[in-house]
Amino acid sequence: MPSTYTPGHNPLRSSADKRLPRIAGPCSVVIFGVTGDLSKRKLMPAIYDLANRGLLPPSFALVGFARRDWEDQDFAKEVHDAVREHARTKFDEDVWAQLSKGIRFVAGEFTDDAAFAKLASTLHELDEQRGTGGNHAFYLSIPPRFFSVVTEQLKRSGLSHSVEGAWRRVVVEKPFGHDLESARELNEILGQVFPSGSIFRIDHYLGKETVQNLLALRFSNTMFEPLWNCNYVDHVQITMAEDIGIGSRAGYYDGIGAARDVIQNHLLQLMALTAMDEPTSFDARSVRLEKEKVLAAVELPADLDAHTARGQYLPGWQGGIPVKGFLQEDNIPADSITETYAAIKLEVANRRWAGVPFYLRTGKRLARRVSEIAVVFKRAPHLPFQATDTQELTSNALVIRVQPDEGVTIKFGSKVPGTQMEVRDVTMDFAYGDSFTENSPEAYERLILDVLLGEAPLFPRHEEVEMSWEILDPILDHWASRGQPPGYDSGGWGPIQADDMLARDGRSWRRP
Ligand code: BG6
């Protein structure tokens, strides 16, 4: 719906007064894959935190579906333990008592018609007894190969079909396919059962407070946007570095790798938000439209050997502790060619960004856990100082610190106190902890609440997913044809090839 312009109206707030908390209406959430890691570490704790913050209605229900011989109370205990271990807000007996009254469990296989009939009757009972109002969100926290059977079952049991005055939504987690073709197939499978407005694809980076702040920073201020283009920006570096290895996720990670796991979704989304033009409003349609224009304008370098890099972490030390190499991890074949580090150079062929490289990198077992977007500016065209006085002056940069030390840093040159005109880099910092007393909600809290409210701006639509695969597929094919990736030291900053890649352009990676 196009928004009308009102002088003084802040486009980041779409309705009259957003100071009132947004509270979900009566509904239930059904989680498939409830015994999985994501469900325990993120989904159940986020649901509890939402309840604890008063953002879920009393008539809320949580239903688990899995192949376990559990009764409702066994599942409730699982949720309780997950909440105790991972919730961010303090445990409150009253909140828990209220939430746990609406917890149900349905045991069964995805192919079991009787289990889906039981699910339908359970949801019907909840509508009657708890007042969930026929509003149901189905969270598919399961490998994509099961999407087809589960959505078919939901259709067959009448659960996907929304009745008058109520909603049915489906939530899917990445990976959204393995390449463009499989992503299209998945989108078709979902689209056969749910209308596109009822499909919510989770990219948890979009739920992060700092990522949303990128929009506030760019579009609620006057001082950044005039510089946000190829006249002033030299290049952009988007980094998601992790210090952990793959842990026990060999089954998921092998054959997927860093580019599919992180670049296809999180980093291309961050790039789209960084590069996009101002949307006409912050409704889902306008934001997605602007992101899609960026993705459509992305160009790959001709020489993929020179302008991409990949690697696998080697055995070594991290933080004084010996760590295994990727090929030695449990359940990873000794000849796996899956990359645990990926860096790529992209350009956005439009008037705003012509000639400005966007360097995207991600890796496991790197020196530290840090995600950031660094907009690096061109050097001043002329420096009226002696060359020796500006030796310690590099480029101005604006860095959005996505995590863990959330905030924004501006790097610029300043005179060193003293009798000489010596100019050196200094930084000006905004830290969330210093400026706000409110804690940032966890990404999953924000995103689950948005699903329940039916607000879609933070969820990529299938066009974006497919465009991202279109960008990545040629790189992945190229890497596959090159065989084994080079190794890199655990605890460092990735393979030497990644440094060479930037050095060829006369640049270097930031060491955040
Ligand atoms: C997930 C990836 O999407 O993001 C994981 O699948 C990665 O491999 C995780 O560890 C990191 O998320 P965050 O929020 O800790 O940066």
Side-chain angles (χ1 to χ4, degrees):
M1 206 177 16
S3 70
T4 42
Y5 175 72
T6 333
H9 168 73
N10 177 353
L12 290 170
R13 301 192 156 197
S14 49
S15 66
D17 190 349
K18 283 275 172 90
R19 281 168 299 178
L20 296 173
R22 305 173 315 143
I23 300 176
C27 64
S28 68
V29 172
V30 181
I31 304 181
F32 294 92
V34 85
T35 51
D37 199 46
L38 180 79
S39 174
K40 285 186 202 154
R41 280 191 312 114
K42 298 286 184 188
L43 308 184
M44 298 184 208
I47 286 173
Y48 170 80
D49 286 328
L50 285 172
N52 206 6
R53 292 183 206 270
L55 303 177
L56 295 184
S59 47
F60 173 83
L62 171 64
V63 182
F65 185 109
R67 214 175 31 176
R68 284 280 201 288
D69 193 13
W70 283 345
E71 297 295 329
D72 292 345
Q73 62 271 23
D74 301 317
F75 176 52
K77 179 163 183 325
E78 292 286 316
V79 181
H80 177 269
D81 294 350
V83 165
R84 281 295 197 153
E85 196 173 344
H86 299 291
R88 288 157 50 106
T89 57
K90 219 166 151 246
F91 192 79
D92 181 308
E93 290 294 349
D94 293 339
V95 172
W96 173 251
Q98 171 62 22
L99 185 67
S100 59
K101 273 191 235 151
I103 293 184
R104 302 286 183 277
F105 186 73
V106 177
E109 307 262 351
F110 297 149
T111 48
D112 181 357
D113 294 354
F116 278 82
K118 172 86 193 315
L119 177 63
S121 65
T122 303
L123 292 175
H124 187 66
E125 266 166 41
L126 285 166
D127 286 342
E128 302 272 299
Q129 296 163 5
R130 205 166 157 85
T132 43
N135 301 316
H136 307 304
F138 301 101
Y139 202 121
L140 309 191
S141 180
I142 52 177
R145 64 178 185 279
F146 297 122
F147 283 7
S148 167
V149 55
V150 173
T151 50
E152 265 311 309
Q153 290 281 23
L154 290 173
K155 187 173 171 188
R156 213 172 312 147
S157 51
L159 284 170
S160 58
H161 182 73
S162 51
V163 286
E164 179 88 28
W167 52 257
R168 303 289 155 96
R169 294 178 188 138
V170 67
V171 187
V172 290
E173 279 283 344
K174 71 179 181 92
F176 306 123
H178 193 75
D179 52 17
L180 178 59
E181 202 186 318
S182 52
R184 282 194 176 136
E185 276 166 24
L186 277 185
N187 283 327
E188 235 166 77
I189 287 169
L190 293 170
Q192 277 162 9
V193 177
F194 289 93
S196 66
S198 303
I199 303 172
F200 290 73
R201 295 172 188 79
I202 295 251
D203 182 319
H204 80 282
Y205 260 63
L206 299 184
K208 288 184 191 280
E209 194 66 39
T210 38
V211 172
Q212 290 156 50
N213 191 38
L214 173 59
L215 302 181
L217 181 97
R218 292 193 54 200
F219 302 124
S220 70
N221 298 300
T222 47
M223 63 191 209
F224 302 116
E225 211 47 24
L227 307 180
W228 214 263
N229 56 55
C230 59
N231 296 327
Y232 298 97
V233 176
D234 178 74
H235 71 282
V236 178
Q237 294 190 15
I238 304 183
T239 300
M240 182 193 141
E242 294 185 281
D243 50 5
I244 52 169
I246 58 150
S248 55
R249 296 170 77 214
Y252 161 76
Y253 202 85
D254 189 41
I256 296 264
R260 288 189 175 92
D261 185 36
V262 170
I263 296 185
Q264 188 274 336
N265 36 79
H266 309 324
L267 296 195
L268 283 172
Q269 283 290 324
L270 293 186
M271 174 177 163
L273 291 173
T274 306
M276 75 181 191
D277 284 344
E278 182 177 295
T280 48
S281 87
F282 278 84
D283 63 22
R285 194 181 148 275
S286 313
V287 175
R288 287 160 165 183
L289 208 65
E290 293 308 331
K291 285 194 286 174
E292 280 168 27
K293 282 200 259 172
V294 173
L295 295 172
V298 166
E299 282 189 353
L300 292 186
D303 183 350
L304 292 178
D305 282 323
H307 299 293
T308 69
R310 66 197 170 118
Q312 282 177 340
Y313 58 81
L314 296 168
W317 293 81
Q318 194 151 31
I321 296 168
V323 293
K324 285 184 192 171
F326 177 65
L327 296 179
Q328 290 74 43
E329 296 277 15
D330 295 343
N331 303 318
I332 294 292
D335 59 353
S336 169
I337 63 163
T338 301
E339 82 285 353
T340 60
Y341 177 100
I344 64 176
K345 172 185 176 179
L346 301 174
E347 291 200 6
V348 181
N350 62 21
R351 179 175 285 244
R352 189 196 271 257
W353 293 115
V356 178
F358 284 72
Y359 299 106
L360 277 47
R361 65 172 163 167
T362 183
K364 304 254 181 218
R365 284 253 180 268
L366 298 182
R368 55 175 294 227
R369 172 175 181 255
V370 59
S371 296
E372 63 165 41
I373 301 164
V375 178
V376 182
F377 292 93
K378 295 186 171 168
R379 300 293 299 264
H382 171 69
L383 290 172
F385 309 96
Q386 304 239 358
T388 50
D389 292 337
T390 53
Q391 269 169 347
E392 292 186 61
L393 177 69
T394 62
S395 301
N396 297 166
L398 186 144
V399 183
I400 291 121
R401 304 195 310 267
V402 174
Q403 64 185 32
D405 172 25
E406 288 94 349
V408 179
T409 299
I410 297 179
K411 178 161 72 96
F412 57 101
S414 177
K415 181 183 174 306
V416 180
T419 52
Q420 282 164 300
M421 180 48 100
E422 192 191 337
V423 185
R424 186 203 288 169
D425 288 340
V426 294
T427 56
M428 212 152 72
D429 278 331
F430 147 59
Y432 274 72
D434 294 343
S435 299
F436 300 117
T437 48
E438 299 89 345
N439 284 330
S440 302
E442 221 276 332
Y444 276 96
E445 280 178 56
R446 170 69 200 258
L447 295 175
I448 291 172
L449 182 63
D450 280 9
V451 170
L452 305 185
L453 290 165
E455 294 191 2
L458 299 181
F459 299 87
R461 100 175 135 183
H462 82 92
E463 285 88 341
E464 292 167 73
V465 171
E466 291 179 10
M467 286 166 130
S468 301
W469 282 119
E470 252 169 274
I471 295 168
L472 215 55
D473 273 1
I475 299 176
L476 293 168
D477 290 346
H478 180 76
W479 286 351
S481 74
R482 289 286 190 270
Q484 196 71 30
Y488 62 92
D489 290 335
S490 287
W493 277 107
I496 185 86
Q497 287 78 1
D499 293 334
D500 294 346
M501 164 184 156
L502 256 70
R504 267 180 215 111
D505 290 351
R507 303 186 175 100
S508 57
W509 290 109
R510 287 169 43 79
R511 296 276 184 261

